[in-house]
Amino acid sequence: MKLKSLCAALVMMAVLLAMASAKTRDTKDEAAKSAAASHPAQHDQDMRFEGEKRFHSNCSRCHAAPPKFPARMMGTIVRHMRVRAMLTDDDVRYILRYMTQ
Amino acid sequence: MKKFVLHAGKPTSVYLLALFLILCGKVQAQDSGNDIDIAVKPVPVLTGSTAYFTRVTGGQIQDAPTVSPLLLLPVGDHLLIESKAGFSDTFTKNAQGDYAGTVSYGLTYAQADYITKYATFTAGRFITPFNMYGERLAPNWIRDLQTTPTSVGISSGAALGGMIRGGLPLVTDKLHLNYATYFSTANTNHILATDRSTGGRIGFFLPGPRLEIGASFQQVLQQDRPHAVGTHFEWQPNAIPLTLRSEYTRSSGTRGSGYWIEAAYRLSQIPHMSATELVGRGQQFFAAANLAPAVAKKLGPLGIDSKEGDWGMNYYFRSDVRASASYGRQFALGRNTNLWTIGMTYRFVMPMWPTGGGL
């Protein structure tokens, strides 16, 4: 009974967090889109920085940074690493972009 | 408490499933409006590693060239077929003083992965998701020390069946959840041997401080049906080029329990030594109580209490070519041993289809 109550409470907390956070995120997305449209060079740099950050957070945990391969090879390697290292969808996209720029 | 009475008849798994779906929905909301996608048509790739190592274990010299090819075959936007094999020839001095080679080979994994946003569905032969060493650190071009920790052998390492796994941000992007759950059938083929087992792993990763902690469970569904539990930990502080890793595993059966702690420090802040990495590892293994002598002998290293300290150095000529050397001292009852290792690894990557140069 205690476990069921705990699970129900967790579900309710998740709902509240989801509602609160989705609103904040929507606002952030809109701000990011308008920033990208007005300052494309800065936006590209931000994307590269984010990709590099995610690369170092995830890939460098296990191995040294590989050289940059052609994009079509990187697409395969990143897909393999997504499965092996259980990367998130966003991680994969940022890292692929970073490794192919 | 009264407001939960309506749900009292529902099993706990329903709540957990609801929680999972809500979190997935939350993540989907986060991802909307993203403009980071680039269109890449992946090509088949042959990768893997070759290595040559000389090992001296208690005065016994072994030379072992190995090759471990990995074929990656992407199909469409969601499917990946991957297969990795291992081949080695271990040369040891025999009674006549001659070197005699023993060939060994095996299929590490051969699996098909269907990838979706939050889950990857895997079928085939795969590495069991238990702790982190087997799946992430085992390839010889990745592992910081070439000797495998004793406790890694406690759990069943290979599976033949199905698996669901994935990673997703949890509530915020500052906390990631990774999970894997699997079921394996028994197979007695000498190359594909697996136990009938089930289990899984869950991990929480903080990308900011680069810290991961996780737990694993495995239930063998044959013979004396032992189960194993494990925890793992990994931390890379942002301030210094240090990696700290640790695993603990305990089995309810004959395979005992053990842990290892490893630290690797890259001398990247010292001029002319930035390609050098220093490694140290300590481990302890506790054999199961009341093992019959015949069982203990059959279990090998898992049949006797032991402690071991290893120290090593890796030098990266390039990101894919590495020289390694290590010394270890193993303390076991009546069997204290020196372990020396020296050798090189090379990781290769080549396309199996024209890459075209562009996207």
Side-chain angles (χ1 to χ4, degrees), chain A residues 35-48:
Chain A
S38 55
H39 304 288
Q42 178 64 40
H43 179 64
D44 273 357
Q45 198 174 337
D46 290 347
M47 299 291 276
R48 198 173 301 124

Side-chain angles (χ1 to χ4, degrees), chain B residues 208-227:
Chain B
R210 302 200 291 183
L211 170 71
E212 178 173 334
I213 54 170
S216 308
F217 178 78
Q218 185 179 80
Q219 174 73 58
V220 176
L221 301 166
Q222 62 183 44
Q223 294 172 330
D224 54 350
R225 301 171 73 93
H227 66 262

Side-chain angles (χ1 to χ4, degrees), chain B residues 291-321:
Chain B
L291 283 178
V295 176
K297 190 177 178 185
K298 190 179 172 190
L299 285 169
L302 299 179
I304 185 169
D305 288 354
S306 64
K307 294 176 189 171
E308 187 176 324
D310 295 271
W311 300 268
M313 190 178 82
N314 297 312
Y315 184 84
Y316 289 84
F317 293 97
R318 303 187 324 201
S319 66
D320 51 356
V321 181

Side-chain angles (χ1 to χ4, degrees), chain A residues 41-57:
Chain A
Q42 178 64 40
H43 179 64
D44 273 357
Q45 198 174 337
D46 290 347
M47 299 291 276
R48 198 173 301 124
F49 176 75
E50 185 63 24
E52 188 175 4
K53 195 176 83 177
R54 290 184 187 238
F55 177 86
H56 287 296
S57 289

